[in-house]
Amino acid sequence: VHGDATVQTVFQVAHYRLHNFIAPTDEACTTRAFFHGRLEVIRSGTWEAFEFAKALDNQSTDAATKWRLLEAATKKQSALAREARAGQGCDRHLLGLKSMAAAAGIQHPFLTDPLLSRSSAWRLSTSNLSSPLIKHFNFGAVIPEGYGIGYSLLPECSRFQFTSFKSSSTTDMEALADCVLKTLKEITELHWQR
């Protein structure tokens, strides 16, 4: 399984364990292959991550099944990352539609749909900056009910830094960090059990 895709799945499991739902997630993805390319969003809160999160805490699910569900979640995450890097993500297109509609004074039910708003309220705002030259890297929470996670995946170690709003009564940054560590350990054990 791919490192970044696994870590994104771990974030979903940790959030699910704390809040009992998969988080709308923004993983920053570069589109620098395109002229003036900047960023696209990889939406990591997938059905596959949800299925794995449920199975991981289900004592009646065997290790081989859990591993298959992890593979499915990371495969989906990797596919979404490839699509986003290729300019096939949905968020920049949606931003363009919203901006053009606003400039033209157009109101459309799709662009004001509550589901679209909720799915873009990033409970997890994440970014991977893996470079041996960078010792500390962080990413900020973008909504009061959310978390920011900056992380680096290096051959010798992985670094995670978490943020949340102090004023939020719904987030617990330390508990999220503990859940991430616990889930990483469980996946390591799962690897050897399968």
Side-chain angles (χ1 to χ4, degrees), residues 13 16 22 47-59 61 66 69:
V13 172
Y16 179 79
I22 294 296
W47 181 259
E48 292 81 358
F50 174 61
E51 290 295 315
F52 176 65
K54 289 189 309 182
L56 195 56
D57 288 332
N58 185 342
Q59 300 303 318
T61 305
K66 289 177 183 181
L69 290 168

Side-chain angles (χ1 to χ4, degrees), residues 3-19 21-23 25-27 44-45 49 52-53 70 77 123-128 139 147-153 158-162 176-177 179-181 183-184 187:
D4 186 68
T6 301
V7 167
Q8 285 293 322
T9 302
V10 166
F11 294 158
Q12 292 301 322
V13 172
H15 188 277
Y16 179 79
R17 286 175 164 171
L18 280 180
H19 300 287
F21 65 92
I22 294 296
T25 303
D26 164 12
E27 179 184 7
S44 306
F52 176 65
L70 173 62
Q77 174 68 18
R123 294 287 298 239
L124 293 177
S125 182
T126 70
S127 186
N128 175 359
F139 215 62
Y147 301 92
I149 309 172
Y151 62 103
S152 301
L153 307 175
S158 297
R159 297 183 183 112
F160 299 89
Q161 302 202 12
F162 299 85
L176 182 69
C179 275
V180 166
L181 183 59
T183 305
L184 285 168
I187 289 175

